[in-house]
Amino acid sequence: MVTFCFWELVGFSSYLLIGHWRERPAAGAAATKAFIFNRIGDAFFVIGLALVYNRIGFDMTQWGKMIFMTVPGLFIFGGVVGKSAQLPLSSWLPDAMEGPTPVSALIHAATMVVAGIYLMLRVPFVATPFIAPIGAITALYGGWCALQQYDLKKILAYSTISQLGLMVLALGVGAEQGAFAHLLTHGFFKACLFLAAGAIIHSLYQVAHHGEFSPQDIRNMGGFYKVRPRLFIATTLALASICGIPLFSGFTSKEMIIVP
């Protein structure tokens, strides 16, 4: 119940921040979409909480009975699907990139969207084998959609969806330690990528005012290693980690998922 209440507060903050640029119609539409999709997930979450209360109340000494609580667990997982952007409620996250980039680094990479993974780690009856196919499909879907994008922030958003799907898959097949390790490493390298994306967009923003191109279109980027070498190094290190290159944290956490 505490998780639900405070998750709602973070979700409300996300709604306000996505629609921060009020002069952009797309930002208002994205904020509304995120609000609606998250409320759909919350409806399942509330039903799951009601079923848990009906079975054992909120007496945590009765957790031994939770092994028989597959149905309440699936309803609570419905809340995770909404907040952690799993299929079929994942499309709000790429649209949420209308908000300021530092918000994306904080809320949509390292805190709110991964809180569903943390919830399933703390409440094990939610992580049933039934969720593994959803995680696997979401991971593949996010990666495929990222390949079709030219907007830098949306590429990172679909990447986040893919990584969250991988964590859900890990929990579904019983690789809890791998899921937790990847939750931690993802928070660092994805936040680094979002902050680097913000720096890149900021660098191109002034130029965009004098031209007719988008500062977020990757087709207008390149050669940053010449003019912003530190930014290039930070981005390269974060990319090496998310790609699972050996000696980087992403390699270790993904290895823990593949070989639990």
Side-chain angles (χ1 to χ4, degrees):
M1 179 62 74
V2 171
T3 300
F4 175 77
C5 292
F6 284 94
W7 213 357
E8 287 302 287
L9 290 175
V10 177
F12 180 63
S13 301
S14 173
Y15 164 74
L16 295 177
L17 291 166
I18 293 169
H20 174 74
W21 306 113
R22 290 175 292 177
E23 67 276 9
R24 300 181 188 171
T32 302
K33 183 176 183 179
F35 184 85
I36 293 172
F37 275 47
N38 278 272
R39 296 298 75 74
I40 294 171
D42 291 341
F44 286 98
F45 202 145
V46 170
I47 294 172
L49 287 176
L51 291 173
V52 170
Y53 184 78
N54 183 58
R55 295 281 186 89
I56 63 169
F58 288 138
D59 182 5
M60 294 297 100
T61 63
Q62 302 297 315
W63 271 36
K65 299 178 182 179
M66 288 186 176
I67 58 174
F68 305 107
M69 297 178 65
T70 301
V71 173
L74 289 175
F75 274 103
I76 293 177
F77 178 69
V80 175
V81 168
K83 283 290 198 302
S84 294
Q86 300 295 292
L87 285 174
L89 300 178
S90 61
S91 62
W92 69 268
L93 187 56
D95 291 348
M97 297 301 103
E98 290 291 337
T101 305
V103 175
S104 302
L106 177 63
I107 294 181
H108 301 133
T111 53
M112 182 181 122
V113 293
V114 297
I117 309 301
Y118 183 73
L119 171 67
M120 291 191 289
L121 285 164
R122 292 298 304 271
V123 187
F125 71 86
V126 179
T128 64
F130 297 105
I131 71 174
I134 295 177
I137 295 170
T138 301
L140 293 173
Y141 168 80
W144 175 254
C145 288
L147 293 173
Q148 315 302 314
Q149 299 296 317
Y150 294 111
D151 186 297
L152 177 60
K153 289 179 66 178
K154 286 192 176 183
I155 291 172
L156 294 179
Y158 278 115
S159 170
T160 298
I161 292 172
S162 181
Q163 299 301 312
L164 290 169
L166 184 62
M167 296 178 211
V168 170
L169 172 62
L171 288 168
V173 299
E176 293 87 357
Q177 292 184 341
F180 183 66
H182 199 53
L183 182 153
L184 292 177
T185 59
H186 175 266
F188 284 98
F189 59 65
K190 185 53 66 65
C192 180
L193 285 171
F194 269 117
L195 291 174
I200 292 171
I201 294 167
H202 181 73
S203 300
L204 293 175
Y205 188 74
Q206 296 300 324
V207 181
H209 272 299
H210 302 288
E212 296 296 331
F213 68 88
S214 169
Q216 295 184 200
D217 193 323
I218 60 173
R219 292 171 292 184
N220 299 323
M221 300 174 188
F224 270 90
Y225 67 93
K226 298 178 182 177
V227 294
R228 301 289 298 275
R230 287 183 294 181
L231 176 59
F232 170 76
I233 292 171
T235 305
T236 302
L237 292 175
L239 283 172
S241 185
I242 195 173
C243 291
I245 302 299
L247 304 181
F248 289 89
S249 61
F251 170 80
T252 303
S253 58
K254 288 183 177 182
E255 183 75 6
M256 291 175 68
I257 293 174
I258 297 172
V259 187

